Amino acid sequence: MSNITSDDVVDELRKVKGPDFESDIVSLGLVSEIFISDGKVFFSITVPDERAQELEPLRQAAQKVVEAMDGVKAAIVTLTAEKKGSANATETANSAAPHKGPAKRIVVEPGHAAPKIARASHGIGEKMPIDGVKHIIAVASGKGGVGKSTTAINLALALADKGLKVGLLDADIYGPSLPRLTGLINQRPRAVEGNKLETLEKFGLKLMSMGFLVDEDRPMVWRGPMVMSAVTQFLRDVLWGPLDVLVVDMPPGTGDAQLTLAQQVPMTGAVIVSTPQDLALVDARKGIEMFTKVGVPILGVIENMSYFIAPDTGKRYDIFGHGGARNEAHHRQVPFLGEIPLDPDVRALSDAGTPVYIAKPQSTFAKLYSEIADRLKSNLL
Ligand code: ADP
């Protein structure tokens, strides 16, 4: 396998036309610094913020061209907004990672212990505690692909390391990630006591995910009310207790479903995960506003994929425009919890079913999560 260089990548990227099919993205100066590690190529493309959604095909084209190169294992391509100092960018954005949102559909097969979609939702303002659970922390992001699930599991593990009893609910019905993140691929929770479900357990965490109940490869279209009902049942009809903390990996977005969820259970607070890009920050801001609106305290903002330390040289690269989330938190007067670097191992380890906190306990990554867990723990007394 040949060793590719950033010049090789740049040459390939000349094949990708600019936003209006004029020239190419390299000549237009839209491509960031390119970082390559272990066959994985990281870079971003600058686009006008209001055109982010429309230009998703451009991002995909760039990713495809680079991934087709000999010697490239993966390309992690993100769209970054042009700096205009504006706060009114459009809602949609793209991420440093392949989006795993609604496109990945799942099915409930007859015979599986799928949650019934019958229970009426609770009225607005009615927050019922969950049996045996002292604290509920939501981990949320305005959009998919920013590392919300990765953050949720590593944070849950770091909290468990502090001696707390911790559960993790993967409430991302559209794209459940917990089976992959834990390697619990073919295990199904047991139904007990009538309608109750037992959690699965791994790494000392109690776990539940739609991915444990359904077959990922078969399609099923979820509609908003069904999503809410399924999530509500995961909260109410799973034997969670006794737990000090239940970490809820929220569905991505800040729409009605997220709002309802935030209204249904008494949350100790929410942690907002964002990448440093302007586009992601717009969504993070919406997340802060949404939780604030329903009286859920913001425990803080985490900037994920904040910067990159080259494993070989130790040199730091700010390819994604590090620092944006800290400024945003400061601006919104909510705590800033920390900056998590982009670590090329994270994805591989996650895919192999071992979160980085477990696989590399001495890593910067694990230490940073431990520090964030300490900060969060002070909210849990
Ligand atoms: P979300 O829950 O926001 O959709 P995920 O946690 O699934 O995002 O992360 C999206 C992808 O990015 C995954 O492949 C994950 O392994 C990778 N990833 C997340 N955080 C990091 C990081 N700090 N460094 C490198 N890769 C990361």
Side-chain angles (χ1 to χ4, degrees), residues 42 76 95-101 139-154 170 172 175 177 180-181 249-250 252 273 275 303-308 320 340-351 356 365 369:
F42 300 83
I76 293 88
S95 65
H99 185 64
K100 61 173 186 55
V139 177
S141 67
K143 67 190 188 83
V146 299
K148 172 180 55 61
S149 299
T150 308
T151 304
I153 191 166
N154 285 291
D170 174 7
D172 191 346
S177 49
R180 177 176 51 87
L181 290 172
D249 178 4
M250 294 281 284
V273 182
T275 58
E303 183 168 284
N304 188 36
M305 308 195 204
S306 179
Y307 57 92
F308 189 96
F320 300 128
I340 305 294
L342 193 147
D343 178 341
D345 287 347
V346 166
R347 183 177 302 214
L349 289 168
S350 298
D351 285 348
V356 66
F365 197 96
Y369 269 111

Side-chain angles (χ1 to χ4, degrees), residues 33 59 72 76 92 139 144-145 151 167 184 223-224 237 271 299 306 311 335:
E33 188 169 9
R59 189 195 68 78
V72 172
I76 293 88
T92 45
V139 177
T151 304
L184 295 172
R223 309 207 182 280
D237 295 344
V271 172
L299 300 176
S306 179

Side-chain angles (χ1 to χ4, degrees), residues 94-169:
N94 302 288
S95 65
H99 185 64
K100 61 173 186 55
K104 184 172 149 197
R105 297 182 300 170
I106 51 182
V107 70
V108 178
E109 280 188 274
H112 285 151
K116 297 179 300 321
I117 314 291
R119 178 181 290 232
S121 55
H122 300 282
I124 289 177
E126 187 190 339
K127 296 187 179 186
M128 277 173 46
I130 297 173
D131 272 356
V133 177
K134 286 194 200 147
H135 293 281
I136 303 172
I137 294 182
V139 177
S141 67
K143 67 190 188 83
V146 299
K148 172 180 55 61
S149 299
T150 308
T151 304
I153 191 166
N154 285 291
L155 209 50
L157 288 164
L159 285 166
D161 233 8
K162 315 268 165 212
L164 300 176
K165 288 199 199 72
V166 184
L168 176 59
L169 168 60

